[in-house]
Amino acid sequence: MSNSIKIFSPATVANVACGFDILGFALDHPGDEIQVSLKDSPGITVLNQTKDTVFPADVNKNTAVVSLQAYLSHMGSEQGFEITFTKKIKPGSGIGSSSASAAASVFAANELLGNPINKENLVQFAMQGEKAACGVAHADNVAPALLGGFVLVRSYDPLDIISIPYPEELYCTIIHPQIEVKTEDARKILRQGISLKDAVKQWGNVGGLIAGLMKGDYALIGRSLEDAIIEPIRSILIPGYDAVKEAALEAGALGCCISGSGPSMFALSRSLEEATQIAAAMKKAFTHYEIDNIDYVSKVNSQGPKVI
Amino acid sequence: MSNSIKIFSPATVANVACGFDILGFALDHPGDEIQVSLKDSPGITVLNQTKDTVFPADVNKNTAVVSLQAYLSHMGSEQGFEITFTKKIKPGSGIGSSSASAAASVFAANELLGNPINKENLVQFAMQGEKAACGVAHADNVAPALLGGFVLVRSYDPLDIISIPYPEELYCTIIHPQIEVKTEDARKILRQGISLKDAVKQWGNVGGLIAGLMKGDYALIGRSLEDAIIEPIRSILIPGYDAVKEAALEAGALGCCISGSGPSMFALSRSLEEATQIAAAMKKAFTHYEIDNIDYVSKVNSQGPKVI
């Protein structure tokens, strides 16, 4: 067994339009790089090699540390670890920055200890990191971050994680407008009561999206990427949202919506070429609103974290 | 072209626990038998060969007539038809009695006219029959009645009907307690507002059920047959509901819930033998409540209406 390991951990898109709190997928790019090493003494030490990113001073707010503590507590282990972060996913971007850290630390520690626990069962520990980060132990980022591909969280109690087959050729465009939307705030503005009529629309689309992914039916995937409940509220926090979405669809996107709690937006498409064209169209639409933004173009990631 | 045709039209289970208004499947048994003949003069004549079943005196309330009128109006046809019913699905049972009639009449007329319209596109006409019967043009009975198998109604506007692959060996037990629950009343007692929390549970289960059916994962199908929203309210209308459901699950059912708007209950299982045992267990549980009931055991129907 090695004493040190370097991990790539993927960014993720949660909610995926209709699947609030239950659906997410992973990206090949961007992703965090995290070096995890066994220590001779107990405790978790954190080192930050990321430029321009300040880590929480309180390690109990660091998702990687909280997740790893949950894992070690479950294992009854007092092993010490040193974690060195080179984060490439910006915190607060809405593409699973905290989840990538949480997934990486438990994946790496589990690797270093000889993989006593399978990846599906690591999700519960990474969720504890999410809870520390945003107050809710949601799994729709950490589950795809750990398992890769599209993941359905059928149930939280008991936790029931289902990998969803999807077409080999599926690409994602991410545009991250440089505005701040805190996950906690994005949750607060949601209505806790919704109409049965809107809910019926939503679960029709959830069914359609799962069927579309599994059938490899791109048109059905596109038609199902609708959100009757969350998008109308959260999109208000993103200036220019409607115009940028329209630009993505005009450029050939199957669908476009808010990634997680935002502010990033995602669009799905059939090829790298299309995804690149969609990125250009979305960026151009944002210029009218004078909002700086960063774009990523990536294939859907099939593997989750990997040793690099 | 023949001038007369006899059709078997299947009973259907709508909602399927988590899929209120968006999901249904068809049964091999029971089903209605309907003879449809071309007439020399315009208009639709209805003959009833069913014992113990009174048809609406107003033919504009007869789902088969309303559906057929909608079909003929779309076709711009003044062809006359005679429809002779031998209904085996009891009206008000909750297993798509009105839908079987609606599906049969448009399917038969379309056959007699040389199939100018494909089966998917007949759904819109059969829905008009549903509207006449219960006030709402829902499609989760008529779509599986016409297409067979499991059918997802992803969207009503525009209408988007998706056939869902399912495991070859899938059986259904129906218990029809002899109490009256009107579809219209069963809709009235539903709350028009629901909690986001319950909705998240529901769409997690919709995703799980579609994935379970398409993967042929019986355990996942079973875990997903949960209804957080409709069952708690409608089950109150069925005396003994909880005990009968428990009996079904103890006898090996993958899941058990209300069929459509009730009062029938359905349970899914892996074999005809299991489905038969589940029927016996459910009937036994109902005896404690002194409610007469009728049971049906059937494979899931793959074909929809057929010429007999």
Side-chain angles (χ1 to χ4, degrees):
Chain A
M1 275 196 299
S2 170
N3 285 327
S4 186
I5 197 173
K6 195 172 185 181
I7 298 290
F8 165 87
S9 188
T12 45
V13 172
N15 298 353
V16 200
C18 52
F20 178 70
D21 270 4
I22 64 147
L23 199 60
F25 64 87
L27 298 173
D28 273 343
H29 170 73
D32 287 348
E33 285 172 25
I34 295 181
Q35 180 90 35
V36 179
S37 309
L38 298 175
K39 282 200 314 180
D40 291 334
S41 55
I44 300 170
T45 314
V46 173
L47 298 173
N48 179 16
Q49 292 192 338
T50 319
K51 283 179 199 165
D52 309 327
T53 299
V54 180
F55 274 44
D58 180 359
V59 292
N60 294 320
K61 295 270 180 184
N62 183 307
T63 60
V65 173
V66 173
S67 303
L68 184 48
Q69 280 166 344
Y71 171 83
L72 293 172
S73 166
H74 174 86
M75 295 289 290
S77 167
E78 296 201 347
Q79 176 66 49
F81 288 90
E82 183 182 86
I83 311 179
T84 307
F85 290 93
T86 310
K87 282 197 74 67
K88 301 196 173 169
I89 312 170
K90 299 207 176 215
S93 55
I95 51 171
S97 176
S98 60
S99 304
S101 299
S105 72
V106 294
F107 177 84
N110 196 51
E111 281 275 327
L112 289 171
L113 298 180
N115 289 310
I117 294 183
N118 70 26
K119 278 209 288 186
E120 280 79 4
N121 287 324
L122 293 179
V123 173
Q124 58 187 309
F125 309 118
M127 283 170 70
Q128 296 311 309
E130 284 292 67
K131 194 172 177 183
C134 78
V136 179
H138 67 101
D140 48 349
N141 284 109
V142 289
L146 274 163
L147 303 178
F150 280 79
V151 179
L152 170 73
V153 186
R154 187 198 61 83
S155 156
Y156 277 86
D157 184 23
L159 187 63
D160 192 4
I161 302 289
I162 318 289
S163 281
I164 303 296
Y166 61 95
E168 166 70 18
E169 298 299 318
L170 197 56
Y171 294 81
C172 182
T173 305
I174 298 284
I175 302 284
H176 175 200
Q178 304 295 294
I179 55 173
E180 189 179 12
V181 175
K182 284 187 185 164
T183 305
E184 219 173 327
D185 293 342
R187 291 195 87 90
K188 267 186 206 157
I189 62 163
L190 296 180
R191 296 193 191 97
Q192 293 312 306
I194 62 175
S195 75
L196 180 58
K197 198 179 158 194
D198 282 343
V200 169
K201 276 191 202 170
Q202 198 86 344
W203 59 62
N205 283 317
V206 168
L209 182 53
I210 300 291
L213 289 168
M214 291 184 71
K215 288 182 175 201
D217 180 337
Y218 291 106
L220 177 54
I221 293 170
R223 295 198 303 278
S224 304
L225 287 171
E226 296 285 341
D227 177 0
I229 293 168
I230 310 297
E231 184 190 45
I233 297 170
R234 283 190 173 165
S235 63
I236 295 164
L237 302 178
I238 304 169
Y241 182 84
D242 292 343
V244 175
K245 177 173 176 162
E246 201 181 314
L249 297 174
E250 278 177 9
L254 299 170
C256 174
C257 203
I258 304 166
S259 174
S261 55
S264 284
M265 297 171 67
F266 79 97
L268 287 175
S269 55
R270 266 164 281 204
S271 71
L272 195 59
E273 194 188 346
E274 275 188 317
T276 308
Q277 285 164 357
I278 292 161
M282 293 174 80
K283 283 183 83 70
K284 190 178 168 194
F286 258 132
T287 59
H288 296 293
Y289 299 86
E290 294 181 1
I291 291 173
D292 286 339
N293 58 80
I294 296 168
D295 65 301
Y296 304 98
V297 170
S298 170
K299 198 171 189 184
V300 171
N301 170 288
S302 61
Q303 190 184 350
K306 64 180 176 189
V307 181
I308 52 176
Chain B
M1 275 195 301
S2 171
N3 285 327
S4 185
I5 197 172
K6 196 172 185 183
I7 298 289
F8 165 88
S9 188
T12 45
V13 172
N15 298 352
V16 199
C18 51
F20 177 69
D21 270 3
I22 63 147
L23 200 62
F25 65 87
L27 298 171
D28 273 344
H29 172 74
D32 287 348
E33 286 171 24
I34 296 182
Q35 180 92 35
V36 179
S37 308
L38 297 175
K39 282 200 315 181
D40 291 333
S41 54
I44 301 169
T45 313
V46 172
L47 298 173
N48 179 18
Q49 292 193 339
T50 319
K51 285 179 197 162
D52 310 327
T53 297
V54 181
F55 275 43
D58 180 358
V59 291
N60 294 319
K61 295 270 181 188
N62 184 306
T63 61
V65 174
V66 174
S67 304
L68 184 47
Q69 280 167 341
Y71 170 83
L72 292 171
S73 166
H74 173 86
M75 295 287 290
S77 168
E78 295 202 350
Q79 175 65 51
F81 289 89
E82 182 182 86
I83 310 177
T84 307
F85 290 93
T86 311
K87 283 197 73 68
K88 301 198 172 168
I89 311 170
K90 300 208 177 213
S93 54
I95 51 172
S97 178
S98 59
S99 303
S101 299
S105 71
V106 293
F107 177 84
N110 196 50
E111 282 273 327
L112 288 172
L113 298 182
N115 289 311
I117 294 183
N118 71 25
K119 279 209 286 186
E120 282 78 4
N121 287 325
L122 293 178
V123 173
Q124 58 187 310
F125 309 117
M127 284 170 69
Q128 297 309 312
E130 284 293 66
K131 193 172 177 183
C134 79
V136 180
H138 67 102
D140 48 347
N141 284 108
V142 288
L146 274 163
L147 303 179
F150 280 80
V151 178
L152 170 73
V153 186
R154 186 198 62 83
S155 157
Y156 278 83
D157 183 23
L159 188 63
D160 192 5
I161 302 290
I162 318 289
S163 281
I164 303 296
Y166 61 94
E168 167 70 19
E169 297 299 319
L170 196 57
Y171 294 81
C172 182
T173 306
I174 299 285
I175 302 284
H176 176 201
Q178 304 296 292
I179 56 174
E180 189 181 9
V181 174
K182 284 187 184 163
T183 304
E184 218 174 326
D185 294 342
R187 290 195 86 90
K188 266 186 207 157
I189 62 163
L190 296 180
R191 295 192 192 99
Q192 292 312 306
I194 62 175
S195 75
L196 180 59
K197 199 178 157 192
D198 282 344
V200 169
K201 275 190 202 171
Q202 199 84 344
W203 57 65
N205 283 317
V206 167
L209 182 52
I210 299 292
L213 289 167
M214 291 184 71
K215 288 183 175 200
D217 180 337
Y218 291 107
L220 176 55
I221 293 169
R223 295 198 302 279
S224 305
L225 288 170
E226 296 285 342
D227 178 0
I229 292 169
I230 310 297
E231 184 190 45
I233 297 171
R234 284 190 172 165
S235 62
I236 295 165
L237 303 176
I238 305 169
Y241 182 83
D242 292 343
V244 175
K245 176 171 178 163
E246 200 180 317
L249 296 175
E250 276 175 11
L254 298 169
C256 174
C257 203
I258 303 164
S259 175
S261 56
S264 284
M265 296 171 67
F266 80 97
L268 287 175
S269 55
R270 265 163 284 206
S271 71
L272 194 61
E273 193 188 349
E274 275 187 318
T276 308
Q277 285 165 357
I278 292 162
M282 291 174 81
K283 284 184 82 70
K284 191 177 168 195
F286 258 132
T287 58
H288 297 293
Y289 299 87
E290 295 183 0
I291 293 176
D292 287 339
N293 57 79
I294 296 167
D295 64 301
Y296 305 98
V297 170
S298 170
K299 198 171 187 183
V300 172
N301 169 288
S302 60
Q303 192 184 349
K306 63 180 177 192
V307 182
I308 50 177

